[in-house]
């Protein structure tokens, strides 16, 4: 079972980093396939917390090699800062341990400026982006004007690329967005020449590496960022990120055929959160939502923003199971539900009084959805020390079994605290590739 894709199935922050770190003890390659430093993945090992944004969550395992595939957008300054932060805790991110596809698109200062200026201009319809320039960088990729890592190694061509891009971005910022920011082509060219020297040793042919690893039966794990409902095609558009977050995109990004994939693991919180704007049918605006936020420490890893909190949305997760072809769900943050008399689950939707089976394509409609809830008896016990399914209180066991039925997918494991060791895997297939 060597090729595994791990994705978030809600609106991000499901605990992907924690679970990927846990599952990569035996992995050979860990590959990020989309997103950029909008992601914030938190790992806790023996009480020590590490927050990663671009570097795959396999980096704390000394036997893994970590890769960024072509579909990732890379802010070089953010990447170098992250490498330095890891060096500060004695994790050496060397070219032996870390490779980047030459095909990744670079996030440059003008992308960040455009992202921020656009958000500022959106009066009451803010997407609530992370302000990292993600959308503008992906736009350049699709419009075939972006600058890729491999472009840094042909300076004549690079100079012209930078000149054209900087002129276009300055004009757009000033004339359309009313910004007074302007960038210097010479400065950006000099910056990129420096960055090229620093990053050159890390450049890798990711497709060749991945396919060769697959051939020799190595364990290759793909780490998703964001979550299914933030997918550019399938999420709550336009309140989404600018990449495909679903499992299918791992093959596109890495340059690998779809028949190579053996298993898809979906990471899912036992409740639900969202950062930024957009519809959230099971959001709880009352005391229980605040309680989930406090107990779950629901503040953004990247921006520190308080996360909107609500209940497990079985309709949305069922959809994610279908969109990603999920084989096994790992249910995280079960411990946060301890102490609630009743645990609510959104089990069906009404749109203007009519029952609907799925999230409608337009977020205008999604905003009018009313979730119908089923309440399950809660549990009061502290479950952070539990090591088996059987040690869970009966009501927590029943909650997990109900989730399985409602979403149409087995719960192959659960998590009862932020630490690496607070993870219980039930699915034998997952144990086979992941656990000692
Ligand atoms: P990611 O973006 O999906 O990797 O998730 P984040 O790291 O942004 O957010 C998840 C947060 O929950 C982090 O602070 C984790 O340390 C924490 N976490 C993960 N799993 C659990 C769990 O089972 N219980 C608790 N209490 N915290 C968890
Ligand atoms: P991880 O990998 C949660 C959200 C932003 C915003 C929308 C678009 O940690 O789960 P962007 O900057 O991508 O253009 O913002 O997407 N968003 C996330 N929310 N977790 C993330 O990543 C996110 N990455 C982006 O809040 O609503
Ligand atoms: Mg996160």
């Amino acid at each position: 079972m060597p090729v595994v894709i791990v994705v978030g199935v809600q609106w991000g922050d499901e605990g992907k980093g924690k679970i990927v770190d846990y599952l990569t003890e035996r992995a050979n390659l860990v590959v990020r396939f989309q997103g950029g430093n909008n992601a914030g993945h938190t790992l806790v090992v023996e009480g020590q917390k590490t927050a990663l944004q671009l570097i795959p969550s396999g980096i704390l395992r000394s036997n893994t090699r970590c890769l960024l595939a072509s579909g990732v957008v890379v802010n070089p300054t953010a990447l170098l800062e992250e490498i330095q932060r890891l060096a500060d805790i004695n994790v050496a991110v060397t070219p032996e341990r870390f490779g980047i596809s030459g095909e990744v698109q670079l996030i440059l200062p003008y992308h960040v400026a455009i992202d921020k200026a656009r958000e500022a201009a959106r009066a009451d319809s803010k997407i609530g982006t992370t302000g990292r320039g993600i959308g503008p960088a992906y736009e350049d990729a699709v419009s075939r004007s972006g600058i890729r890592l491999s472009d840094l190694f042909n300076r004549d061509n690079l100079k012209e690329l930078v000149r054209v891009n900087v002129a276009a971005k300055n004009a757009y910022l000033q004339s359309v967005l009313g910004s007074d920011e302007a960038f210097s082509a010479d400065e950006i060219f000099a910056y990129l020449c420096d960055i090229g020297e620093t990053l050159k040793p890390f450049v890798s042919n990711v497709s060749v590496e991945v396919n060769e690893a697959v051939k020799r039966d190595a364990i290759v794990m793909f780490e998703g960022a964001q979550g299914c409902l933030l997918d550019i095609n399938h999420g709550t558009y336009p309140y989404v990120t600018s990449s495909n977050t679903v499992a299918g995109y791992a093959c596109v990004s890495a340059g690998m055929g779809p028949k190579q994939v053996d298993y898809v693991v979906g990471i899912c919180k036992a409740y639900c959160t969202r950062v930024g704007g957009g519809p959230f049918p099971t959001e709880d605006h009352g005391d229980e939502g605040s309680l989930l936020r406090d107990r779950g420490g629901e503040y953004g890893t990247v921006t520190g923003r308080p996360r909107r909190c609500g209940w497990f949305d079985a309709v949305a997760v069922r959809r994610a199971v279908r969109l990603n072809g999920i084989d096994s769900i790992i249910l995280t943050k079960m411990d946060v539900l301890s102490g609630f008399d009743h645990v609510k689950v959104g089990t069906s939707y009404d749109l203007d009084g009519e029952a609907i089976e799925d999230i409608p394509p337009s977020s205008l409609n999604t905003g009018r959805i009313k979730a119908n809830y089923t309440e399950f008896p809660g549990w009061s016990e502290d479950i952070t020390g539990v090591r088996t399914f059987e040690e869970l209180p009966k009501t927590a066991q029943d909650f997990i079994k109900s989730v399985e039925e409602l979403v149409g997918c087995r719960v192959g494991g659960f998590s009862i605290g932020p630490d690496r060791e607070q993870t219980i895997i039930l699915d034998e297939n997952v144990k086979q590739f992941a656990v000692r």
Side-chain angles (χ1 to χ4, degrees):
M1 195 73 69
V3 179
V4 185
I5 303 175
V6 180
V7 285
V9 304
Q10 295 155 323
W11 277 289
D13 302 328
E14 297 91 347
K16 298 175 292 292
K18 175 200 154 148
I19 301 298
V20 168
D21 167 67
Y22 181 80
L23 297 181
T24 44
E25 182 171 12
R26 294 176 50 221
N28 302 89
L29 288 182
V30 187
V31 188
R32 268 282 301 273
F33 61 91
Q34 44 69 234
N37 61 325
N38 50 348
H41 297 174
T42 317
L43 286 49
V44 182
V45 181
E46 290 171 5
Q48 186 181 329
K49 192 164 158 175
T50 309
L52 299 171
Q53 295 194 258
L54 271 165
I55 297 190
S57 299
I59 198 71
L60 299 189
R61 304 286 195 177
S62 53
N63 53 312
T64 61
R65 177 161 162 79
C66 292
L67 298 175
L68 301 184
S70 70
V72 175
V73 282
V74 175
N75 178 323
T77 302
L79 176 62
L80 295 176
E81 285 170 2
E82 189 168 332
I83 290 175
Q84 185 56 49
R85 280 200 299 277
L86 285 165
D88 293 344
I89 55 163
N90 296 322
V91 178
V93 184
T94 58
E96 288 68 43
R97 297 263 349 257
F98 179 57
I100 317 172
S101 162
E103 291 155 342
V104 297
Q105 296 278 338
L106 300 182
I107 301 182
L108 294 173
Y110 47 76
H111 293 124
V112 176
I114 291 171
D115 192 1
K116 289 182 177 162
R118 271 199 201 139
E119 279 288 280
R122 281 173 170 262
D124 41 2
S125 58
K126 290 191 195 310
I127 290 172
T129 72
T130 56
R132 299 297 191 266
I134 303 295
Y138 276 117
E139 282 167 38
D140 281 3
V142 177
S143 73
R144 297 162 292 187
S145 58
I147 300 180
R148 308 202 295 179
L149 181 56
S150 56
D151 290 320
L152 307 193
F153 313 119
N154 178 343
R155 289 204 178 173
D156 290 340
N157 184 55
L158 177 65
K159 193 158 203 168
E160 181 59 9
L161 253 180
V162 171
R163 188 190 66 74
V164 171
N165 268 290
V166 170
K169 303 306 175 189
N170 282 345
Y172 177 65
L173 272 162
Q174 288 157 20
S175 316
V176 179
L177 297 175
S179 160
D180 50 14
E181 270 194 276
F183 293 90
S184 147
D186 286 345
E187 276 175 28
I188 291 190
F189 177 68
Y191 163 76
L192 287 175
C193 290
D194 271 2
I195 290 292
E197 292 303 311
T198 313
L199 292 185
K200 199 167 196 174
F202 293 96
V203 177
S204 145
N205 188 327
V206 168
S207 171
V208 168
E209 273 207 59
V210 166
N211 281 278
E212 283 182 352
V214 172
K215 258 189 223 150
R216 58 168 202 274
D217 259 352
I219 297 175
V220 181
M221 186 165 298
F222 288 90
E223 175 182 11
Q226 291 80 54
C228 184
L229 294 160
L230 289 170
D231 182 278
I232 184 75
N233 290 55
H234 301 286
T236 49
Y237 190 90
Y239 298 94
V240 292
T241 191
S242 295
S243 66
N244 283 113
T245 60
V246 291
Y249 191 67
C251 295
V252 176
S253 172
M256 178 185 77
K259 289 191 289 188
Q260 314 277 21
V261 179
D262 295 296
Y263 220 63
V264 182
V265 176
I267 312 299
C268 186
K269 264 181 207 173
Y271 51 98
C272 197
T273 63
R274 169 162 211 174
V275 205
F280 180 177
T282 58
E283 183 167 12
D284 188 317
H285 297 279
D287 293 347
E288 290 187 322
S290 304
L291 216 50
L292 286 170
R293 184 175 310 107
D294 291 346
R295 291 187 182 161
E298 296 296 352
Y299 296 88
T301 313
V302 176
T303 55
R305 290 179 289 179
R307 295 174 182 152
R308 298 158 62 191
C309 294
W311 300 103
F312 189 89
D313 183 339
V315 181
V317 175
R318 189 158 62 232
R319 171 187 166 86
V321 167
R322 166 167 54 82
L323 290 168
N324 291 280
I326 290 172
D327 295 296
S328 202
I329 279 181
I330 312 277
L331 207 55
T332 59
K333 302 195 114 167
M334 279 290 289
D335 54 303
V336 176
L337 294 184
S338 288
F340 284 93
D341 284 347
H342 285 89
V343 178
K344 285 164 77 173
V345 172
T347 43
S348 65
Y349 287 162
D350 283 349
L351 176 63
D352 299 337
E354 282 202 29
I356 53 168
E357 295 293 319
D358 199 0
I359 297 178
S362 164
S363 71
L364 295 175
N365 294 334
T366 324
R368 304 206 308 273
I369 283 176
K370 183 179 150 303
N372 301 310
Y373 294 96
T374 302
E375 289 199 357
F376 294 89
W379 56 92
S380 54
E381 295 88 335
D382 174 356
I383 59 169
T384 54
V386 158
R387 285 290 166 266
T388 61
F389 181 79
E390 290 69 28
E391 282 173 58
L392 284 174
K394 173 81 172 45
T395 45
Q397 294 185 15
D398 289 345
F399 174 75
I400 290 180
K401 287 182 193 155
S402 304
V403 164
E404 284 187 326
E405 266 175 44
L406 287 165
V407 307
C409 182
R410 76 169 299 186
V411 171
F414 61 95
S415 161
I416 33 86
D419 204 275
R420 181 190 274 172
E421 298 308 324
Q422 290 174 299
T423 314
I424 290 96
I425 301 297
L426 308 168
D427 181 342
E428 289 304 322
N429 291 318
V430 176
K431 278 188 189 164
Q432 227 182 62
F433 61 75
V435 188
R436 49 213 119 154

